[in-house]
Amino acid sequence: RAAAGLGLRVLPTRRSGAAVLVARGRPAERALHTALSRELGSPAGAIGVGGRCDTPHEVPRSYQEALRALEVRQGSHSAYGITFFDDLGLYRILRTGKDQREVEQFVREWLGPLLDYDALHRTALVETLAAYFDRGGNYSATAADLVIHRSTLRYRLQRIREISGSDLTDVDSRLNLQVATRIWKIMRSGPE
């Protein structure tokens, strides 16, 4: 009923204790979860959406993608909501199963000193680093996004270098730090 209320044409079934919908079209970002929550009277639910199928033979692939999207959603701190496989980015290929220790260890390895510093001093160095990477290293765009002055951004990036011991100009360090910040954001709030 929730899907039909959104104008989605679906073929519903149950599999392994979950409802499975084969839908014509893609649900709007949060609309399906919102409609389902309203229908059930609770926001406590997660939805994984697989990629588009052009032929019936592609349905099994899309189903596996939906399960992967659901697994990532349920493993995040924001376990309720909707996650699209096509939006998973790095998590499309990162396989850790139910045990997230390896992922958490990677994040701690690259961001640990910054996370500890942020917690102790109530700062936002990891968030600053994530925004810096999200804006492609552009100082003006990053400063505007964080609503801070460019000189404040330069100071924070210098503190990040000092505390983490990482060289932001080194290609490998930069890649690992960027991957770690992406994972940190997903672990903190769920897939975007």
Side-chain angles (χ1 to χ4, degrees), residues 104-169:
E104 291 169 1
Q105 184 178 345
F106 176 81
V107 171
R108 286 291 311 160
E109 179 182 333
W110 285 97
L111 299 178
L114 296 172
L115 291 167
D116 295 343
Y117 186 90
D118 280 350
L120 185 63
H121 299 284
R122 302 180 82 157
T123 56
L125 295 180
V126 176
E127 188 175 324
T128 298
L129 185 61
Y132 176 72
F133 288 138
D134 288 348
R135 300 297 170 256
N138 182 302
Y139 274 59
S140 296
T142 304
D145 187 46
L146 295 172
V147 192
I148 60 174
H149 195 274
R150 282 175 49 108
S151 61
T152 302
L153 175 61
R154 274 196 290 282
Y155 171 77
R156 286 186 187 178
L157 290 173
Q158 182 57 39
R159 289 297 293 148
I160 288 167
R161 288 180 191 97
E162 292 167 359
I163 294 166
S164 70
S166 297
D167 179 1
L168 297 181
T169 62

Side-chain angles (χ1 to χ4, degrees), residues 27-58:
E29 278 305 306
R30 292 182 178 87
L32 183 58
H33 183 261
T34 302
L36 188 61
S37 296
R38 193 172 29 250
E39 185 77 27
L40 298 175
S42 169
I47 301 170
V49 180
R52 174 189 166 113
C53 299
D54 292 320
T55 67
H57 292 79
E58 294 176 326

